[in-house]
Amino acid sequence: MRSRVRRAARSGLEVFADQAIEELIRQPPGRETSAGIAYAAHRIAAARGDANLASWAERTIATAEPTLETHAVRALISRGRGDSEAFETSLKAFLAALDSSPGGVRLLCHLLAAARGFHGEPVPSILEAGGRQVETMWTELADAPAIGDPRGLTDLGAAHGWAGLLHATLLWSEHSGQPLPEGIEERLHQLTSFAAKSSAGIQWPNTARGSFAGRGWCGGGAGHILLWTLAHREWNEPRWLRLAEESARDNVTRLDGPANLCCGLAGQAYAQLALYRHTGELEWLRNAHVLAAAAIDRHRQQKDSRDASLYQGSAGVAVLAAELARPDRAAMPMVEPQPFLRLTGSDRD
């Protein structure tokens, strides 16, 4: 009975992914969303072995506005087709446009993982750029007041706040092998003071003032699941895993958020998958399937004006639907490098 239910769930996910792909191709994205859409198509093509969709992604990214994200996606798509020359060209353009932000550091982790596939070892230019980025961030944070002090950064979320800064720093150290900055454990401890007990586990406010903005990645519990999972991977301390698991249990108690990756159900599903990859516990995989099904239902009910974008629309939900068949490889787009891309040498499954 359980196997039939799982087959039916996968079938529903595949049908939705097919429909979403058709929508993407039928309604080409605008120049401002082309990078995200092309990356979504690239990820779906890789998950499904779809050469036609991969070609569409290449054509789409070729016409995208030349932003930081565009250069990163061009490099990643070049990596996917094994074009080292195009990868190097896009990497140089990315490094020239790089700004100091957690998002930039996360993209550097993606590029570092991808570059290993060509070179079998870290690329010095990426290591240097990432090291400078993290050093700049933590130089600015060195004299910042404690988390929660109204004189400092009061946003606690993953998109614009402390959870994102800490996650990006841990991710960079994990992928680069560079040491963590002094003070990061103290900041993690400060952040734990904002954990709010719920009936099922732990909730996280999006600001130090205690306001709650849902359970999504950008300002809610999903971003914290990614952070505390990564902290446990770094130090293997039970308290960090406990925070991740209690956040994950709360994160699936209500399915009334939007469908998308940013602040909705699809991002919550990817957070559960991150915890599943880390622990191997089926509870988190089951939660991911529940959240993915809810995301698809919500998307069908409420389409918005940004429906074609990666983080706010159907593209991110479609990537999730396509990747759930291989949860060991599923990773939140633009936030977590896919695990299989971290292998050195030539690609292998």
Side-chain angles (χ1 to χ4, degrees):
M1 176 65 180
R2 290 183 179 178
S3 63
R4 288 200 299 272
V5 170
R6 286 195 292 269
R7 284 197 298 271
R10 284 199 295 271
S11 177
L13 292 169
E14 290 169 358
V15 168
F16 173 79
D18 288 340
Q19 293 170 344
I21 290 167
E22 290 177 5
E23 288 180 9
L24 293 179
I25 295 176
R26 187 170 59 248
Q27 300 176 353
R31 288 173 65 83
E32 70 279 2
T33 59
S34 292
I37 299 300
Y39 187 59
H42 168 70
R43 291 278 292 259
I44 296 169
R48 296 162 68 105
D50 189 331
N52 290 332
L53 187 59
S55 295
W56 185 88
E58 293 176 16
R59 293 194 301 272
T60 300
I61 196 61
T63 62
E65 196 73 27
T67 64
L68 183 71
E69 290 76 15
T70 298
H71 298 313
V73 172
R74 284 176 178 163
L76 293 171
I77 289 178
S78 298
R79 167 68 180 86
R81 67 172 184 263
D83 188 339
S84 60
E85 183 176 350
F87 177 86
E88 294 294 342
T89 299
S90 297
L91 174 60
K92 288 178 182 177
F94 174 87
L95 294 175
L98 188 60
D99 58 3
S100 178
S101 69
V105 173
R106 287 190 289 264
L107 289 175
L108 281 165
C109 291
H110 282 67
L111 294 172
L112 185 61
R116 283 194 169 105
F118 285 127
H119 303 284
E121 58 186 20
V123 176
S125 61
I126 303 178
L127 290 175
E128 292 169 8
R132 286 196 304 270
Q133 291 285 96
V134 171
E135 182 180 6
T136 298
M137 284 197 309
W138 282 85
T139 297
E140 294 173 357
L141 293 173
D143 297 324
I147 299 176
D149 191 315
R151 295 171 299 172
L153 177 64
T154 58
D155 192 317
L156 305 180
H160 307 291
W162 280 103
L165 287 166
L166 295 169
H167 180 267
T169 303
L170 286 168
L171 194 69
W172 174 252
S173 178
E174 179 181 65
H175 281 264
S176 68
Q178 294 177 356
L180 288 165
E182 185 178 349
I184 188 169
E185 288 187 82
E186 180 183 356
R187 293 298 189 180
L188 287 166
H189 287 297
Q190 291 173 4
L191 187 57
T192 62
S193 66
F194 293 92
K197 277 288 186 182
S198 70
S199 60
I202 289 175
Q203 285 182 305
W204 295 90
N206 66 313
T207 72
R209 295 184 294 275
S211 60
F212 288 83
R215 291 171 167 80
W217 168 78
C218 62
H224 285 268
I225 296 169
L226 295 177
L227 170 62
W228 302 115
T229 297
L230 192 51
H232 184 256
R233 203 152 68 225
E234 172 65 29
W235 288 289
N236 199 32
E237 293 188 15
R239 55 184 166 173
W240 301 140
L241 181 60
R242 188 164 52 249
L243 282 173
E245 291 179 335
E246 291 188 23
S247 301
R249 292 190 177 102
D250 174 83
N251 210 244
V252 77
T253 54
R254 296 184 64 177
L255 306 176
D256 54 357
N260 61 48
L261 284 177
C262 180
C263 47
L265 297 160
Q268 292 170 241
Y270 268 116
Q272 300 281 337
L273 288 170
L275 189 52
Y276 166 71
R277 293 197 319 269
H278 178 58
T279 66
E281 295 292 333
L282 291 178
E283 176 183 359
W284 317 122
L285 180 59
R286 288 192 292 266
N287 286 353
H289 276 274
V290 168
L291 288 160
I296 290 171
D297 287 343
R298 181 52 59 94
H299 169 71
R300 286 170 172 160
Q301 295 166 9
Q302 299 180 342
K303 292 189 175 184
D304 63 26
S305 59
R306 294 176 292 183
D307 190 59
S309 71
L310 175 62
Y311 259 67
Q312 296 288 349
S314 62
V317 185
V319 176
L320 171 66
E323 293 187 342
L324 265 176
R326 290 295 304 271
D328 56 317
R329 295 185 174 187
M332 189 158 178
M334 299 297 188
V335 173
E336 306 174 281
Q338 287 178 291
F340 72 97
L341 286 180
R342 296 179 60 199
L343 298 173
T344 59
S346 59
D347 285 344
R348 48 193 168 100
D349 291 328

